[in-house]
Amino acid sequence: MSATHPVVPLGLLFMHRLQRWLARHRSLYQQADAVMFYQKNIRSVAHMPQESRPQRQKWIWYNVESPSNTLKLPGINNIFNLTLSYRRDAGIIARYEVVIKDEPDDHFVLPKKDRLVCWMVSNMWSAGSRVRTAYYKELTKHIKVDVFGLGVSVPLPAERYYPTMQSCKFYLAFENSAHKDYITEKLNGPLSSGTVPIVLGMPRDNYEEFMPGDSFIHVNDFPDAKAMAQHLLELDKNDEKYMKNFAWRRFYTATPHLLTLKNEFTQPTCLACDHILRDNRYSAVHNLYGWYHSSR
Ligand SMILES: *[C@@H]1O[C@H](CO)[C@@H](O)[C@H](O)[C@H]1NC(C)=O
């Protein structure tokens, strides 16, 4: 262990290019105290550089997907030393969390709004997304929803994400699946932008473990999409009521997260470096998928 040895975020590379890259940068790999592997890009254990792995090097399994969207790869249970995930029982926890302000303040100014309900979505039609797509379709019968994203009406480049988010009064922060603590940047986007998130995923009490109960609207707060739409239309006409959704900002701050594929690795890589520098204990993950896929 030494501070001069970096964590190499190999997840930045696609696995099929990994071997070629390693051939050219072998010395860097040999020096690294830890190597991060991005679960989505691991094609097979055979592609991982196990033979040349230095004894003291820790392998970090980095995953941002929920269990339903995490493929089980054979042979992977006994090769990692640390997990990096949104789960609070991971070795290294990577989440976007609301933090308490040192001093309460009332400086919040509502961004200019010219849209009512928005949704940015990339895989509206994938299998795991059926619940949220069904809710969205029902909702659009009663209220207008502006949809942005890959493969749907209006594609949205990263630099338009925050300005677009700010222009919406409400935002559908719908998770693609329901798993304990699986509350993602989909919620952090609106919270940090001054937009009211409408959440679908885990029940309300799991959300309230991470953020104040009045900072979001939960689909379960209403018997159906029609009742929710009525509530939103009412808030649209009543500024005083609408602003109550921002009362939490007096005491808490939400920080915008980094966008674009390249930057998405910045926060987890920093967290991994920090962990590796502070903690040089031996560790091994023996039943990775047993842990990850177990229902809690
Ligand atoms: C990392 O985990 C592997 C697999 O469990 C284990 O063989 C190895 O000794 C561990 N190394 C460190 C440095 O913790």
Side-chain angles (χ1 to χ4, degrees):
M1 270 299 289
S2 90
T4 56
H5 292 158
V7 172
V8 180
L10 285 188
L12 292 173
L13 300 155
F14 291 102
M15 284 306 286
H16 57 267
R17 284 200 227 128
L18 178 62
Q19 279 171 328
R20 262 190 295 149
W21 185 88
L22 276 179
R24 277 186 278 124
H25 298 83
R26 205 164 280 280
S27 63
L28 239 189
Y29 172 72
Q30 290 294 332
Q31 283 170 46
D33 288 318
V35 180
M36 272 167 71
F37 290 88
Y38 189 45
Q39 153 79 25
K40 245 196 323 205
N41 290 350
I42 305 173
R43 281 157 124 215
S44 77
V45 173
H47 284 85
M48 300 173 79
Q50 283 197 79
E51 293 100 79
S52 51
R53 174 180 182 175
Q55 273 283 317
R56 53 170 184 80
Q57 186 177 78
K58 288 195 178 172
W59 282 15
I60 304 170
W61 182 75
Y62 173 42
N63 187 21
V64 294
E65 301 295 338
S66 75
S68 341
N69 290 303
T70 299
L71 283 178
K72 292 188 189 178
L73 291 169
I76 222 166
N77 268 345
N78 277 305
I79 56 179
F80 287 104
N81 304 94
L82 284 166
T83 54
L84 201 172
S85 125
Y86 66 88
R87 272 176 56 162
R88 278 195 165 166
D89 58 351
I92 307 166
I93 305 166
R95 300 187 64 91
Y96 307 104
E97 300 214 1
V98 169
V99 298
I100 302 165
K101 287 181 177 171
D102 294 337
E103 300 274 336
D105 80 62
D106 294 311
H107 298 327
F108 176 62
V109 179
L110 187 73
K112 197 181 160 301
K113 306 284 181 188
D114 50 24
R115 295 183 177 96
L116 190 52
V117 185
C118 301
W119 193 23
M120 301 179 201
V121 61
S122 51
N123 58 343
M124 195 192 281
W125 309 112
S126 78
S129 309
R130 239 177 292 136
V131 175
R132 69 177 183 192
T133 302
Y135 196 96
Y136 155 78
K137 282 169 102 178
E138 192 53 37
L139 193 64
T140 54
K141 291 181 190 161
H142 311 285
I143 195 167
K144 182 172 183 287
V145 180
D146 289 328
V147 180
F148 306 86
L150 285 176
V152 288
S153 40
V154 193
L156 194 73
E159 65 272 19
R160 292 296 309 152
Y161 176 85
Y162 284 109
T164 305
M165 185 65 86
Q166 289 183 334
S167 72
C168 311
K169 281 198 162 176
F170 303 97
Y171 179 75
L172 304 184
F174 287 4
E175 301 299 350
N176 59 27
S177 49
H179 295 277
K180 179 135 170 69
D181 299 352
Y182 187 63
I183 298 166
T184 67
E185 82 295 337
K186 293 182 186 72
L187 182 59
N188 193 62
L191 284 182
S192 59
S193 301
T195 293
V196 180
I198 299 170
V199 305
L200 174 153
M202 287 300 284
R204 178 172 262 284
D205 55 355
N206 193 203
Y207 279 87
E208 291 190 6
E209 286 174 41
F210 298 97
M211 55 233 36
D214 59 358
S215 64
F216 61 91
I217 294 171
H218 197 293
V219 297
N220 296 352
D221 296 344
F222 303 92
D224 53 32
K226 186 179 177 195
M228 154 113 82
Q230 274 162 0
H231 177 70
L232 302 183
L233 291 167
E234 204 181 300
L235 290 184
D236 185 38
K237 285 191 237 105
N238 187 332
D239 286 344
E240 198 184 318
K241 263 191 168 170
Y242 176 69
M243 290 308 290
K244 288 214 171 96
N245 293 284
F246 299 101
W248 63 276
R249 298 185 70 112
R250 186 166 149 73
F251 304 101
Y252 308 96
T253 314
T255 309
H257 54 273
L258 294 170
L259 300 169
T260 78
L261 206 55
K262 203 168 116 223
N263 283 332
E264 266 166 1
F265 289 97
T266 307
Q267 185 218 26
T269 307
C270 291
L271 291 170
C273 283
D274 178 62
H275 182 97
I276 293 293
L277 290 176
R278 279 187 295 105
D279 186 342
N280 63 356
R281 284 173 298 178
Y282 176 84
S283 58
V285 181
H286 290 302
N287 189 5
L288 181 65
Y289 293 138
W291 164 71
Y292 201 65
H293 291 270
S294 66
S295 52
R296 288 186 304 146

